[in-house]
Amino acid sequence: MKYDIILCGVGGQGVLSVAALIGRAAAAEGLQVKQSEVHGMSQRGGAVMAHLRFADHPVASDLIPQAGADLILSMEPMESLRYVGYLAAEAALVTATEPFKNIPDYPELDTVLAAIRRLPHSLLVDAAKLADEAGNPVAVNTVMVGAASRLLPFRADTLEKVVREMFSAKGVKVVEMNLKALELGRRAYAASSHTCTA
């Protein structure tokens, strides 16, 4: 078994926290994990991208080749399109719908979302709304992990355990809000008319 993910977004959206969460879940299930990150002026809303690879055998490289990713998991729609060349033929793209307009010529959102919908296996998630519903507007990244969780080769309880561990220092209320965000993401995937099959 081998699974490769491109994680992306902009600085401040928790891309690397998502990578840590998924990487910990992979390790908890006994998988080998490698990760590589690119920080693009993250303090100024610049692009952030990580390659995350895990397998039941040693992973030779931390970089995913073009057309080699099983999943793109993005916190921002335009950033998701930046890395489409990494998707394997039957791979999935899961992205939050809310834009982070960090450039003056950000394309029309409808155009960006239409391009994502044309991909064979894509899912758009209104993650900001779900994070609000969970009681924590900054839990967009946890919502996105939940939305992608049915594509990940982990047990649901493994992800829940890692969420508890990662947020335990912030108190019970923060743990519970993130567990709810994870569950709302899962429900968004289940309720969608997605065509994700990876």
Side-chain angles (χ1 to χ4, degrees):
M1 187 285 279
K2 175 182 76 65
Y3 201 87
D4 293 338
I5 309 173
I6 298 288
L7 300 137
C8 54
V10 301
Q13 291 190 303
V15 173
L16 300 182
S17 295
V18 169
L21 197 162
I22 295 173
R24 283 188 186 192
E29 296 214 349
L31 300 172
Q32 302 280 323
V33 181
K34 284 208 174 186
Q35 179 182 338
S36 176
E37 307 163 358
V38 176
H39 308 238
M41 299 172 62
S42 61
Q43 295 302 314
R44 300 178 188 168
V48 177
M49 185 262 273
H51 291 223
L52 181 63
R53 313 185 80 183
F54 44 88
D56 59 3
H57 53 79
V59 180
S61 170
D62 54 0
L63 296 179
I64 300 168
Q66 290 280 319
D70 298 291
L71 173 66
I72 290 177
L73 179 55
S74 181
M75 306 303 116
E76 202 282 331
M78 190 177 75
E79 290 298 322
S80 73
L81 291 177
R82 187 188 304 272
Y83 304 104
V84 164
Y86 281 97
L87 282 176
E90 295 302 316
L93 184 151
V94 178
T95 183
T97 56
E98 185 169 273
F100 189 103
K101 297 185 177 180
N102 55 350
I103 55 175
D105 55 348
Y106 192 102
E108 287 293 324
L109 182 59
D110 288 346
T111 303
V112 173
L113 298 181
I116 293 168
R117 288 187 183 102
R118 285 195 294 272
L119 296 171
H121 308 294
S122 63
L123 176 63
L124 294 160
V125 180
D126 191 352
K129 177 183 171 191
L130 296 176
D132 281 342
E133 189 177 333
N136 186 356
V138 298
V140 166
N141 54 356
T142 308
V143 169
M144 294 308 297
V145 173
S149 66
R150 294 186 188 217
L151 300 169
L152 299 172
F154 308 139
R155 296 185 312 270
D157 63 334
T158 299
L159 283 171
E160 291 169 5
K161 180 181 175 190
V162 173
V163 166
R164 285 190 180 91
E165 290 170 356
M166 286 185 67
F167 294 100
S168 64
K170 296 183 178 183
V172 173
K173 186 175 179 182
V174 173
V175 169
E176 294 303 318
M177 286 189 294
N178 277 281
L179 286 172
K180 186 172 181 182
L182 188 73
E183 179 58 26
L184 290 173
R186 280 191 192 121
R187 290 182 192 172
Y189 180 93
S192 70
S193 58
H194 62 82
T195 56
C196 295
T197 59

